[in-house]
Amino acid sequence: MGNQKKMTLVQLTFIVAVNMMGSGIIMLPTNMAKVGAISLLSWVVTALGSMAIAYGFAQAGLFNQRKGGMSAYAEDAYGKPGYFMVFYLYFLSLAIGNVAIAISGVGYLAAFFPWLSSTAMATCIGVIGLIWLSTIANFGGPTVTGRIGSVTVWGVILPVGLLSIFGWFWFSADTFAAAWNPKGLSPLQGMGSSIALTLWAFLGMESAAQNSDAVEDPKKNVPLACMFGTLGAAVIYIASTTVIQGIVPNAELAKSTGPFAAAYAQMFNPTIGNIIMGLAVIACLGSLLGWQFTIGQTAKTAAVDRLFPQIFARENGMGAPVAGMVVMGVVQTVMALSTISPTLSEQFGALVNLAVVTNVIPYIISLSALMVIMKMAGGVPDAIYKRNTAIAVVATLYSTYAIFAAGKDAVLGGTIVLALTYIMYGFLAPRFATAGAGTRAAGPAAGAMAAAIGLALAATLLLPSPAHAQSAKKKPQAKPAAAAKESGKVTVGYHANVRPFSYKDEAGRPAGYAVELCQLAAGQDVSWVEVTPENRSALLREGKVSWLCGEPVTLSARKEMSFSVPIFQGGVGALLRNDAPAALSKALSQRPGPSGPLWRGTPTQQLLQAQTFAVVAGSPSEKQVAEAMAKLQLTAKVVAVKDFPEGAQAVLDRKASVFFGDRFLLLDAAKRNTKGSDLMLLERRFTVTPVAVALRRGDEDGRLAVDRALSRIYATPEFRSMYAKWFGEPDADAAAFFRQSALPE
């Protein structure tokens, strides 16, 4: 670990800026010119608000690195309803944005084919044509799509960037002054006049923190890259839209279907303007091609997770989800028809406003979860917690203002779709109504949040049939787990400090992977009892607890208790400092060689002899390390720590050279430490120690009930999501482990 080449701050900043600078900017000057140059004040508010949003997402991505981005952040605070609503609204905003991108493309194509802008219907036909052209082009699979997108984006970046730098040589103060405030707006009105339009240009900043594991020093560089990248894009946006107001007269700019091409034609000649037109068309087509592919893949993932109908998961021989792409092509066609307007800019503005409303509500939901995310991560210094909370408040207030600034038509459209979304989720909800699931989501906060986010235009095209929803009830995952029904009320013992398996949360309630799994297996009727390594066996033997939720399976433990099928593939790993001697890391990473005498005089033996090892007192690792040292004839110093956070800190403070323990517990302890980036976890797994639910010896009926419940749960998509929530997406080994652990009837 830690040897792979990673991105620097400069590289990540550039990627963040390029990701935002797609085709969204190229029609904005026309729409802003309708208000006047005073609309440029909107950039000030938007730039500050966007930087707050970007920073909030960067922090959320550092503390919650599960797959799913904004949806995963929302799930931490609002459960499955929050996950679905954020995912669906964001997905929908991409579909709306595609239509807006197609409109931009038609606007620039109109320079070559004037009939495209001659009537509203001609424009609509052109938009629909581009939508289906880009949809069909994606039928060939992802390879060509990715290559085209990486090239065509420069069709926007180069003209806009060059205009920002060199356009000032053609800037006329008189032209700019005449365009400043033709409608006589107050500064406050001018500042709010184009908030939705300017925010549109920044949409996409939420993806900046998705690859923090590929960045050098992510806790420092990811937030900085988000800020610098957003700031850099803001500078280019403000400069380009300001200079264009001083080059092209306001009346001409407000009527233009290709504002940047008009600027270059004014600066040089119509031929150069036509070249810029051509570059913009290429950029729009490339961007639209890439986003159509993204929408198709997103819908396919949702179908696999049972959030969408299964038709979206069907692929052709080249890996393209053709059926889902066709359905989304129909949805976008309906959007194009429903927003048809007399002019390109009016239709573009209507779609942008609606896209912003459907986009910033997921922003509000996921950013409002940042406080919960930090609490769950644990170990967040008070100063960082307060700073992140303050920035999240600024970001959510700005997002709320952006909804207001989008106008009553966009808000009305969103409100109408709210009812349609609830209808859709009503059919989906039974799929996730597993016993015990979503205890965090079932409270009043989750219901209140769900009520705020159901914007889903054209949702009726995606509704699963009632028959399909009913069939989900017949699957094992929709039934209450068998254990509680067959064994009566279950008293479950849990450990309060073995995060992320089992721990006590901020509210004093049991939480963690093992706790959630035991709750699912037991059903609703559960009484939780906190146990310790010292008293757990006695409590189980005396009948004060029916189960122990998550115990390592060892031969010595089997003398006192019985075990279910495994619930986790445990194993001892090693945690070191990043600056630990390379020889130490190499010595620990090497597999044992052929059997034979081990001499204390060898370099490896001398190196290990000089180290201090840390283990958690009373844990299986303590005994396993002692046995390994005896086998290797080591007399190195071993220190016992009370828990995993203390062990990680001992390594950071150089009180121990190596901390041995369960690999996932080590990883969690490092992740939650403020200096966790200074630690590395070796890839090697020294032992494999399964973790299971423990019961009293001789309780065969109870063991059968638990095994049956767990075997059913392992076959469900909900279990995969739960595993990913705590440990990340299961790899091939983990998936095989649970397939082998589940028993057939």
Side-chain angles (χ1 to χ4, degrees), residues 498-503 511-520 549 566-569 691 710 714 719 722-727 737-738:
V498 191
R499 187 187 180 105
F501 285 99
S502 172
Y503 64 97
Y513 165 78
V515 169
E516 283 195 23
L517 191 55
C518 285
Q519 176 73 68
L520 283 175
C549 190
I567 65 171
F568 191 78
Q569 186 181 17
V691 178
L710 291 174
Y714 292 163
F719 172 71
M722 186 180 70
Y723 183 96
K725 171 183 174 181
W726 296 104
F727 305 112
F737 174 79
F738 286 107

Side-chain angles (χ1 to χ4, degrees), residues 435-455:
T439 50
R440 277 182 309 185
M449 273 319 242
I453 52 180
L455 308 175

Side-chain angles (χ1 to χ4, degrees), residues 112 159 260-280:
F112 305 103
F260 283 93
Y264 277 91
Q266 193 90 9
M267 292 161 58
F268 299 104
N269 53 60
T271 300
I272 299 297
N274 286 337
I275 292 174
I276 299 301
M277 284 278 192
L279 287 174

Side-chain angles (χ1 to χ4, degrees), residues 56-124:
F57 281 128
Q59 290 296 308
L62 289 176
F63 294 117
N64 176 344
Q65 297 182 6
R66 299 198 320 274
K67 182 179 178 181
M70 289 193 297
S71 300
Y73 308 156
E75 186 177 23
D76 275 358
Y78 309 115
K80 201 66 175 182
Y83 182 101
F84 170 77
M85 294 296 185
V86 167
F87 159 79
Y88 190 75
L89 281 177
Y90 186 63
F91 170 79
L92 181 66
S93 72
L94 297 182
I96 298 170
N98 270 6
V99 184
I101 293 171
I103 291 169
S104 297
V106 168
Y108 279 79
L109 272 172
F112 305 103
F113 307 100
W115 66 270
L116 284 172
S117 60
S118 59
T119 66
M121 184 53 67
T123 298
C124 187

Side-chain angles (χ1 to χ4, degrees), residues 322-502:
V322 172
M325 288 179 176
V326 170
V327 172
M328 292 312 301
V330 173
V331 172
Q332 292 171 71
T333 299
V334 172
M335 290 179 182
L337 290 168
S338 64
T339 58
I340 190 169
S341 300
T343 67
L344 273 165
S345 62
E346 288 180 14
Q347 187 175 8
F348 178 81
L351 283 162
V352 165
N353 287 338
L354 186 57
V356 165
V357 170
T358 55
N359 209 307
V360 298
I361 290 181
Y363 284 3
I364 294 170
I365 302 301
S366 49
L367 285 171
S368 71
L370 181 57
M371 284 71 81
V372 175
I373 293 171
M374 290 189 291
K375 286 289 186 182
M376 292 179 63
V380 180
D382 188 58
I384 294 177
Y385 183 90
K386 290 180 178 178
R387 181 191 67 201
N388 289 353
T389 300
I391 293 175
V393 169
V394 172
T396 51
L397 288 177
Y398 166 74
S399 298
T400 303
Y401 177 62
I403 294 174
F404 168 78
K408 63 181 185 301
D409 290 339
V411 175
L412 176 62
T415 305
I416 291 173
V417 176
L418 174 63
L420 297 177
T421 304
Y422 272 106
I423 294 172
M424 181 177 184
Y425 192 69
F427 283 108
L428 289 170
R431 302 178 179 183
F432 310 109
T434 342
T439 50
R440 277 182 309 185
M449 273 319 242
I453 52 180
L455 308 175
L457 186 64
T460 51
L461 292 173
L462 302 176
L463 284 175
S465 68
H468 185 75
Q470 290 295 328
S471 67
K473 289 185 177 181
K474 300 177 182 179
K475 296 180 181 180
Q477 62 268 25
K479 296 179 180 179
K485 287 182 170 292
E486 296 181 13
S487 303
K489 184 174 182 178
V490 178
T491 302
V492 181
Y494 76 100
H495 294 271
N497 61 349
V498 191
R499 187 187 180 105
F501 285 99
S502 172

